[in-house]
Amino acid sequence: MDQKPVIQIQNLKKSFGQREVLKDINFDVHKGEVVCIIGSSGSGKSTLLRCINLLETPTAGAILYNGSNILSSGNTHKYCAKVGMVFQQFNLFNNLNVLENCVVGQVKVLKQNRKEAEERAKRYLEQVGMLQFINARPRQLSGGQKQRVAIARALAMEPDALLFDEPTSALDPEMVGEVLKVMKSLAESGLTMLVVTHEMGFARDISDRIVFMDGGIILEDGTPDEIFNHPKHERTKAFLTRAMDK
Amino acid sequence: MEFWSWVSRILEQYGSLILEGTGITVLLAIVGTAIGFAIGLLIGIYKTIPIKSSTPMPLKILYKIFNFLLSAYIELFRSTPMMVQAMVIFYGVAYAFGITLNRLIAGLFIISINTGAYMAEIVRGGIISVDKGQAEATHSIGMTHLQSMSYIILPQAIRNIMPAVGNQFIINIKDSCVLSVIGVSELFFVSKSAAGATFQFFPAFFIPCVIYFVLCFSITQILRYLERRMDGADTYTIYGTEPVINGADTLKRGDVK
Ligand SMILES: Nc1ncnc2c1ncn2[C@@H]1O[C@H](COP(=O)(O)OP(=O)(O)O)[C@@H](O)[C@H]1O
Ligand SMILES: [Mg+2]
């Protein structure tokens, strides 16, 4: 991991009204790195991802993308196109079929020509095992299938990094595996990933680093071995004990 | 007997006039609904522009001012009868600028902006009805607000508000008759002329009654049909391999090479 950081979070804060949800967050994500964010519900994990993706405007701090602060730059659309997001609720475009879901961003945002965009979309849909469903509408798919399409849609933008916000939490148990399998292969392919998850086994297996969030701060940041086997803080231990019991 | 013979006499004598009036009524309804819908879309897009805390102050203020003007327009037109709006605009223009507007053009203008005020609210409701997650997803792949609206949100919003828009169209067919107060020669206006000339009020208004009903009823049916078509097929074809689907008895052939 001696690569340059793709994303650097510096002194990031976010308040909703009086309530400070993120308090001085600092960390880097390097190229090719897979970082899992764990922590109990309400600790600010989603808010952090949403700030990085500019779905929320941070109250203070900086987000550096390849070295430049995107919070002080005027045009953020290009940045958004290059840092993708996979949502808990899939958020597929319901008016478009599976193929078009993966084509529309390439054509409209990246100005790719349609034929190349379709080729690329099919390549990624094949990678997530959804190629045969390109004509289907989102409403005709199961949750696991929808999430795999959502991943292909994000990949089709050929992002520098992908953010995942609890990608398997809305799925029936029997569908969790198929999505995790896809994510594991992405991690192995060298994609830069920042994943919020409650799947501890998955986090342990695929992460280069684990970040433990608690009450709006990063309490611990280390390798899976450090976090799972030698946690420094009581709260980390307590959380892991609870999470492992499930 | 007397009644039907009057009906046929009025039709004989005023048939072409009534036909023209019907044409004007349909024109008012179509133009009013179409322009009103366009106004509604523009306002709907404008009203849902995300204003962030990072937006520069002058822009924010400009946005607020224009937003206020739009709200004033909507409230003003929704809270006064179109008949009164017609009088105020038509005679107001004559009073202020000393010009007499072409009555048909004035009528088209009034019904359009009146409908626009209602459409703005209908469209806004339609946009809100599309789940917020999809808007976030468009943002996460770098789309602008306009792109997000044009390709993802509005197509779904428009589908959702089709029944309300159709309803507005029906209302416009009927309510365009109030424009007779400024002398727009639509169906009600010409019927009134026929009634005044013959002193046969019942037969003279029975005819437009039937025409209004037939217009509204058939348009309702057409809109229902269009709505069903917009929903598309319940099946899809499996790419590359053999055709399959949702229901076992609705097999379709694969169409993709
Ligand atoms: N839009 C919002 N407005 C107000 N409070 C919010 C908003 N979004 C999140 N919060 C609050 O911020 C805290 C952190 O939420 P979240 O980031 O979703 O946590 P996590 O993803 O770790 O469960 C929660 O207490 C939540 O209620
Ligand atoms: Mg969350």
Side-chain angles (χ1 to χ4, degrees):
Chain A
M1 266 342 116
D2 39 28
Q3 295 266 25
K4 278 194 316 207
V6 182
I7 297 172
Q8 290 165 277
I9 311 296
Q10 300 179 339
N11 309 107
L12 191 79
K13 293 180 184 170
K14 173 68 184 174
S15 304
F16 292 108
Q18 294 295 309
R19 196 168 142 59
E20 192 166 52
V21 172
L22 296 180
K23 308 163 187 166
D24 201 20
I25 301 283
N26 293 280
F27 76 101
D28 296 348
V29 181
H30 297 259
K31 193 165 169 6
E33 203 174 22
V34 176
V35 180
C36 280
I37 303 178
I38 59 173
S40 48
S41 194
S43 56
K45 307 181 298 296
S46 297
T47 306
L48 176 57
L49 283 200
R50 292 170 60 82
C51 280
I52 297 175
N53 204 235
L54 301 183
L55 289 170
E56 305 284 358
T57 312
T59 319
I63 298 173
L64 308 191
Y65 167 63
N66 294 328
S68 60
N69 186 4
I70 48 125
L71 295 180
S72 58
S73 112
N75 189 351
T76 54
H77 296 293
K78 197 154 172 274
Y79 163 77
C80 288
K82 283 297 167 192
V83 175
M85 178 106 159
V86 173
F87 301 85
Q88 186 174 349
Q89 299 297 337
F90 331 127
N91 296 346
L92 291 181
F93 305 136
N94 289 330
N95 59 322
L96 304 177
N97 68 20
V98 165
L99 184 66
E100 286 303 314
N101 261 277
C102 302
V103 163
V104 68
Q106 295 185 64
V107 172
K108 304 299 179 191
V109 179
L110 304 180
K111 311 294 178 199
Q112 185 99 315
N113 86 45
R114 172 156 279 279
K115 199 163 167 296
E116 281 172 29
E118 288 186 6
E119 295 292 312
R120 199 200 271 183
K122 285 180 190 166
R123 214 163 54 234
Y124 287 112
L125 283 165
E126 183 164 30
Q127 191 179 343
V128 301
M130 288 299 291
L131 184 59
Q132 53 176 337
F133 295 96
I134 58 175
N135 297 311
R137 298 253 161 190
R139 65 182 143 93
Q140 295 163 325
L141 303 177
S142 73
Q145 292 175 328
K146 281 185 198 170
Q147 194 61 298
R148 286 187 282 147
V149 172
I151 292 172
R153 175 178 68 182
L155 289 173
M157 301 298 288
E158 308 219 308
D160 289 336
L162 256 194
L163 316 175
F164 295 78
D165 190 4
E166 299 194 30
T168 58
S169 295
L171 299 177
D172 291 337
E174 72 265 30
M175 289 170 188
V176 170
E178 68 190 52
V179 172
L180 291 184
K181 204 172 120 211
V182 167
M183 289 175 62
K184 185 152 186 280
S185 77
L186 291 177
E188 283 159 1
S189 77
L191 182 68
T192 309
M193 292 163 66
L194 186 53
V195 185
V196 171
T197 185
H198 288 299
E199 299 289 334
M200 292 303 146
F202 173 76
R204 193 212 301 253
D205 292 347
I206 70 148
S207 304
D208 296 306
R209 248 171 62 217
I210 306 241
V211 167
F212 174 68
M213 282 187 71
D214 188 57
I217 59 165
I218 292 180
L219 197 60
E220 267 189 72
D221 180 344
T223 64
D225 180 56
E226 284 166 351
I227 300 289
F228 282 102
N229 302 330
H230 316 285
K232 290 196 213 72
H233 293 265
E234 277 311 315
R235 293 190 63 90
T236 315
K237 279 181 207 156
F239 171 78
L240 288 171
T241 313
R242 264 180 289 129
M244 295 305 200
D245 278 351
K246 275 192 233 151
Chain B
M1 281 303 97
E2 190 74 341
F3 172 77
W4 292 111
S5 69
W6 270 112
V7 167
S8 66
R9 269 177 75 174
I10 289 172
L11 281 176
E12 243 166 62
Q13 227 174 328
Y14 298 95
S16 63
L17 202 62
I18 290 173
L19 207 62
E20 258 172 56
T22 307
I24 301 277
T25 290
V26 172
L27 181 72
L28 285 167
I30 290 178
V31 172
T33 310
I35 297 183
F37 186 54
I39 294 173
L41 284 182
L42 291 177
I43 297 182
I45 294 173
Y46 184 80
K47 288 213 161 218
T48 51
I49 291 176
I51 295 295
K52 298 202 195 110
S53 43
S54 57
T55 311
M57 207 55 191
L59 269 184
K60 264 192 214 165
I61 294 173
L62 210 63
Y63 178 86
K64 284 252 168 71
I65 293 174
F66 200 61
N67 201 27
F68 172 80
L69 292 177
L70 289 176
S71 303
Y73 153 67
I74 293 171
E75 292 313 320
L76 215 61
F77 277 84
R78 292 196 332 153
S79 313
T80 53
M82 185 157 74
M83 198 183 244
V84 176
Q85 291 162 15
M87 296 299 250
V88 167
I89 290 173
F90 187 74
Y91 293 106
V93 166
Y95 180 80
F97 307 107
I99 28 175
T100 309
L101 294 170
N102 173 305
R103 288 165 198 276
L104 178 60
I105 294 190
L108 289 170
F109 175 73
I110 290 155
I111 198 169
S112 299
I113 55 173
N114 178 279
T115 308
Y118 286 95
M119 288 290 191
E121 287 300 286
I122 294 174
V123 171
R124 203 171 63 90
I127 290 173
I128 292 170
S129 77
V130 179
D131 80 289
K132 216 168 137 254
Q134 291 184 60
E136 293 188 342
T138 62
H139 181 93
S140 82
I141 58 173
M143 282 194 189
T144 61
H145 182 62
L146 196 61
Q147 287 174 329
S148 165
M149 281 290 153
S150 317
Y151 306 124
I152 308 300
I153 309 300
L154 285 180
Q156 295 175 66
I158 290 170
R159 168 63 193 90
N160 292 347
I161 63 177
M162 269 294 273
V165 171
N167 205 30
Q168 198 63 43
F169 188 36
I170 307 281
I171 290 173
N172 280 344
I173 296 247
K174 296 182 295 179
D175 284 8
S176 55
C177 73
V178 306
L179 295 169
S180 61
V181 294
I182 56 165
V184 179
S185 53
E186 41 68 61
L187 182 53
F188 177 79
F189 187 87
V190 299
S191 307
K192 211 165 74 175
S193 313
T198 57
F199 291 103
Q200 292 300 319
F201 289 86
F202 179 35
F205 284 109
F206 177 75
I207 295 166
C209 185
V210 172
I211 296 175
Y212 277 120
F213 176 79
V214 170
L215 281 178
C216 292
F217 186 76
S218 38
I219 286 165
T220 307
Q221 303 312 311
I222 293 169
L223 290 176
R224 290 240 173 93
Y225 170 75
L226 287 179
E227 264 176 54
R228 277 198 303 273
R229 282 224 6 204
M230 274 172 91
D231 286 340
D234 277 337
T235 60
Y236 60 92
T237 49
I238 290 286
Y239 176 72
T241 58
E242 276 306 291
V244 194
I245 57 1
N246 274 355
D249 53 346
T250 50
L251 291 179
K252 253 184 156 182
R253 281 276 138 202
D255 60 346
V256 196
K257 282 129 250 182

